[in-house]
Amino acid sequence: MIKFGIIGTNWITQQFVEAAQASRLYQLSAVYSRHQETAAAFSAKNGGADTFTDLDDFFKNGVFSTVYIASPNSLHFQQAKQAINAGKHIIVEKPAFENQAEMESIQELLKQNPQIRYFEAARNIHTPNFKAIQEQVEKMPVVQGASLTYMKYSSRYDQVLAGKEPNVFSLRFGGGALQDLGVYPLYDAITLFGMPNEFNYFPEFIQTGVDGKGVAILQYAEFNVTINFGKTTNSYMTSEIYGLKDTIEIDDAGELGEVSYIDADGKRTKISQPVTENPLLPEVRDFARVINEPENVENKADYERWNALSVRVNKMMFNLRQSGKIVFYDERDN
Ligand SMILES: NC(=O)c1ccc[n+]([C@@H]2O[C@H](COP(=O)([O-])OP(=O)(O)OC[C@H]3O[C@@H](n4cnc5c(N)ncnc54)[C@H](OP(=O)(O)O)[C@@H]3O)[C@@H](O)[C@H]2O)c1
């Protein structure tokens, strides 16, 4: 059993804990919250665990090998650093870090602590449906780019419209559409096609100063990938990966619920499996096998691949953000 602690007590942590418990590979043993009542309520709801309101105390006295960090984006870096220094494996919610300087610093710390495993919780690339897409792309002799969309109205945009600034829409907390939903299709694109030669991000700003939605264009040697994402409206547009006369059709580039292959004659074959389980279960299982057997050849190769991917996605997120002239408060000179 992997004993784990959690930072952040919102719904995504609840979903992660449920996935971890459903996998029967993990045991929740420590809950950190800024508020004792919240920590106690979260612990009680999930079968009981030690509770903490002080991060130093959590890392010093919590009995766990692994920490799941699901705080606002701008806090991930400091908390991850603290966790590595305390000897914990880290599962960091996407986007793991805000910029390349933070990522480089974490990679350096990981080199100094080779027993520690770091995972970015990019749930989509661990799913069977993403693997089905990947296998189909590998079989296609010609690939001519893609159009990927992930756009969902956020209930927290209601608060923005009411004049408030929730973390996910705040420059103070590393918020915005690119950071929140854009990272999923970007993970799709970089996993499938690698790093582009050129890139551009065209953000649409909202009143809090972050991008509410936007379009990113990645230019590869032989094709383009267009990525549409946003949190201020809903899109029902399907995503597509283009072959010569054949196409992969994806209902949603973030959720990957239903995927079909349409051959040169227009015949459509479903290549996805219905998503019936907790959407975080595939990543939870993947991370557990690496933590439990880090020296296994397949696990080692997967770990190195995910880490390299996380570094590339972080770099591209930062590049796109620069292209869109989005600067977070903690990156400003004054
Ligand atoms: N993988 C996915 O499908 C998925 C889905 C949603 C979100 N996420 C990621 O999960 C992370 C958390 O997102 P979220 O929407 O849950 O964020 P959030 O609601 O803004 O904050 C998450 C938790 O952090 C703590 N927190 C909130 N404001 C804070 C502050 N000012 N200072 C210190 N701690 C604070 C709160 O826990 P306490 O009150 O208990 O301290 C809160 O429950 C983000 O990185 C996001 O991108 C991933």
Side-chain angles (χ1 to χ4, degrees):
M1 281 284 188
I2 297 166
K3 290 200 164 129
F4 74 108
I6 54 135
I7 298 179
T9 52
N10 202 355
W11 68 268
I12 189 61
T13 306
Q14 183 59 39
Q15 194 174 53
F16 182 89
V17 168
E18 283 167 16
Q21 290 177 339
S23 76
R24 298 174 186 273
L25 297 164
Y26 297 77
Q27 183 189 338
L28 178 65
S29 53
V31 173
Y32 165 80
S33 168
R34 291 164 302 164
H35 311 288
Q36 179 54 33
E37 315 81 73
T38 314
F42 194 94
S43 160
K45 187 174 176 184
N46 291 287
D50 297 335
T51 58
F52 299 86
T53 54
D54 179 277
L55 261 190
D56 293 335
D57 187 24
F58 171 73
F59 283 120
K60 192 161 169 239
N61 295 314
V63 181
F64 57 91
S65 68
T66 303
V67 62
Y68 170 68
I69 300 176
S71 52
N73 299 337
S74 62
L75 306 183
H76 293 179
F77 173 61
Q78 286 301 339
Q79 293 170 342
K81 243 176 36 175
Q82 198 173 346
I84 297 173
N85 285 327
K88 312 292 184 192
H89 302 303
I90 50 173
I91 300 172
V92 188
E93 259 307 339
K94 45 51 64 177
F97 306 113
E98 284 187 347
N99 51 49
Q100 284 171 266
E102 289 185 356
M103 181 59 98
E104 278 164 19
S105 169
I106 292 293
Q107 291 294 323
E108 193 47 48
L109 259 187
L110 290 169
K111 271 195 205 126
Q112 292 163 15
N113 294 274
Q115 77 289 1
I116 301 290
R117 292 290 166 273
Y118 151 65
F119 308 96
E120 181 169 13
R123 58 170 164 71
N124 51 325
I125 60 152
H126 294 274
T127 62
N129 289 350
F130 185 77
K131 283 172 192 149
I133 295 171
Q134 219 171 358
E135 280 165 21
Q136 192 61 55
V137 168
E138 277 160 20
K139 277 191 237 159
M140 287 157 69
V142 176
V143 175
Q144 300 189 74
S147 164
L148 305 173
T149 298
Y150 190 27
M151 207 178 290
K152 279 205 300 200
Y153 187 88
S154 164
S155 57
R156 283 180 270 193
Y157 191 53
D158 290 346
Q159 295 174 31
V160 175
L161 295 176
K164 300 201 179 101
E165 191 174 298
N167 301 341
V168 74
F169 286 110
S170 172
L171 289 172
R172 205 176 301 281
F173 290 101
L178 171 63
Q179 300 295 304
D180 195 49
L181 296 192
V183 67
Y184 295 105
L186 202 60
Y187 248 103
D188 293 340
I190 292 177
T191 312
L192 294 171
F193 310 121
M195 290 293 262
N197 298 332
E198 303 285 337
F199 49 84
N200 247 305
Y201 180 41
F202 304 93
E204 293 167 42
F205 292 102
I206 59 170
Q207 66 209 58
T208 58
V210 303
D211 49 330
K213 66 199 259 295
V215 179
I217 299 178
L218 310 183
Q219 282 188 295
Y220 291 84
E222 292 173 344
F223 53 74
N224 295 337
V225 174
T226 308
I227 308 182
N228 265 294
F229 45 84
K231 292 178 65 67
T232 59
T233 186
N234 291 306
S235 172
Y236 301 95
M237 194 158 73
T238 53
S239 294
E240 295 179 322
I241 298 172
Y242 307 108
L244 188 56
K245 293 180 182 171
D246 53 347
T247 304
I248 298 172
E249 182 188 55
I250 308 164
D251 62 343
D252 183 309
E255 307 291 339
L256 311 176
E258 194 170 310
V259 185
S260 298
Y261 175 67
I262 306 170
D263 70 14
D265 299 321
K267 184 168 160 273
R268 189 182 252 97
T269 308
K270 198 184 285 184
I271 60 170
S272 56
Q273 300 171 14
V275 182
T276 52
E277 58 180 20
N278 183 315
L280 306 188
L281 254 169
E283 66 174 18
V284 154
R285 291 192 188 109
D286 270 348
F287 302 158
R289 73 180 159 82
V290 171
I291 291 170
N292 286 333
E293 288 187 80
E295 295 309 322
N296 169 291
V297 176
E298 188 193 339
N299 293 348
K300 210 169 167 173
D302 281 342
Y303 176 68
E304 280 163 18
R305 189 166 51 80
W306 298 329
N307 188 35
L309 201 51
S310 175
V311 171
R312 282 192 207 113
V313 170
N314 170 270
K315 180 174 182 193
M316 189 44 55
M317 292 278 284
F318 184 60
N319 288 344
L320 288 174
R321 202 150 60 71
Q322 283 190 310
S323 138
K325 301 192 171 38
I326 301 167
V327 184
F328 296 139
Y329 286 165
D330 55 9
E331 297 169 332
R332 293 182 182 182
D333 293 336
N334 48 44

